[in-house]
Amino acid sequence: MVDPTQAGVTPTCPACEAALTVRAEALHCPACEETVPVVDGIARFPVSVEQSAVPPVFDALASIYETPLWFPVVYRVIGGPHAPIDDRARIVDALDVTGGDVLDVACGTGRLTRVLAADAAAVWGIDVSMGMVRRARRDGRHNVVLAQMDAEDLRFEDGAFEGVACGWALHLFADIPTTVAEIHRVLAPDGRFAGTTLSADSLLALPAAQYGLAETIGAHVFDHEELRELLLETGFRTVQFERYGAALFFRATK
Ligand SMILES: C[S@@+](CC[C@H](N)C(=O)[O-])C[C@H]1O[C@@H](n2cnc3c(N)ncnc32)[C@H](O)[C@@H]1O
Ligand SMILES: [Zn+2]
């Protein structure tokens, strides 16, 4: 696990946006004296606690998330028989940022982060759930930095990353347009954004399914034209989709 300030991309102060430096096991702002604690190698940026049921749900899922009790089964149910065997390889291909700095938004247990790290210079994995990030830390790679951070308030400078990945989480953000704008902001010119989310062009078109997802984890199911419009309006130049059942793979270029 790398020192959060030695990972190519330096995080910024939650209070004044100056670049942070490491001081006494914490991230410190030389401009305003704000401190971001680093606990067990995980930088803990402020996240709004009352935001949703998301952190407790994923804290509880962390220990089984990558086991046959969760992700492999849920992925096959969502994507159906024709979805790629490994969703991550598809996202890594779409990003195509060998040797660049990559941000994995909503990294969870680091399932995708670890694969991104094989090709990237360094990967920042951020997530609101400490349970998930702690799990990701157990499998740390030498070029991965982990932080508790809200996707809606990315603490990085404009244009900091060549690629941003977001696996199975875009539908979970309380304010999706703000999050997409943040992702666009931290991408370098020509940078790539790729990931997966839930498509309404599937069984999830059923109002009962959408109601259930919205009521339990606040999930939004996307019409892919709606997502295309949002990405283009935010400033992405090109947007492409591949859909398998309810699994929507997207890629966009800044
Ligand atoms: C289904 S998991 C996906 C994990 C991983 N990306 C993968 O592909 O397996 C969704 C993750 O989104 C995270 N999440 C939800 N809202 C978030 C937010 N506003 N900021 C950061 N992470 C968030 C959850 O805590 C959870 O770990
Ligand atoms: Zn500051």
Side-chain angles (χ1 to χ4, degrees), residues 13 16 29 32:
C13 173
C16 79
C29 177
C32 77

Side-chain angles (χ1 to χ4, degrees), residues 84 86-100 102-104 110-121 123 162-168 192-196 242 249-252:
D86 189 351
D87 60 315
R88 300 172 296 184
R90 212 39 88 86
I91 297 171
V92 171
D93 277 0
L95 279 184
D96 190 23
V97 285
T98 304
V102 175
L103 172 64
D104 186 10
R111 203 182 59 82
L112 172 59
T113 327
R114 298 193 291 276
V115 181
L116 292 165
D119 284 345
V123 183
E162 279 77 39
V164 176
C166 184
W168 305 111
R192 305 276 183 97
F193 173 36
T196 41
E242 269 175 66
F249 287 69
F250 60 86
R251 58 176 81 184

Side-chain angles (χ1 to χ4, degrees), residues 13-190:
C13 173
C16 79
E17 309 212 340
L20 296 172
T21 56
V22 168
R23 194 169 82 182
E25 304 287 304
L27 294 170
H28 172 73
C29 177
C32 77
E33 302 293 325
E34 179 85 2
T35 294
V36 173
V38 178
V39 182
D40 299 333
I42 300 167
R44 300 190 64 170
F45 287 81
V47 295
S48 86
V49 279
E50 71 275 52
Q51 67 175 348
S52 70
V54 163
V57 165
F58 284 98
D59 283 349
L61 268 181
S63 63
I64 61 157
Y65 183 79
E66 290 193 42
T67 72
L69 291 175
W70 195 261
F71 187 85
V73 174
V74 174
Y75 174 56
R76 203 41 67 192
V77 169
I78 289 174
H82 304 298
I85 290 176
D86 189 351
D87 60 315
R88 300 172 296 184
R90 212 39 88 86
I91 297 171
V92 171
D93 277 0
L95 279 184
D96 190 23
V97 285
T98 304
D101 288 307
V102 175
L103 172 64
D104 186 10
V105 171
C107 65
T109 53
R111 203 182 59 82
L112 172 59
T113 327
R114 298 193 291 276
V115 181
L116 292 165
D119 284 345
V123 183
W124 273 83
I126 69 105
D127 200 289
V128 282
S129 156
M130 273 308 283
M132 293 294 258
V133 184
R134 278 201 195 95
R135 203 78 193 181
R137 165 100 169 117
R138 292 201 341 192
D139 245 328
R141 297 289 193 268
H142 73 283
N143 59 344
V144 169
V145 192
L146 296 167
Q148 182 184 37
M149 190 188 287
D150 194 333
E152 293 175 23
D153 183 24
L154 296 175
R155 298 283 90 225
F156 302 102
E157 285 171 354
D158 298 359
F161 296 96
E162 279 77 39
V164 176
C166 184
W168 305 111
L170 204 57
H171 45 276
L172 293 172
F173 303 139
D175 185 341
I176 296 167
T178 296
T179 310
V180 170
E182 275 293 86
I183 288 169
H184 184 266
R185 181 183 67 74
V186 301
L187 267 176
D190 297 320

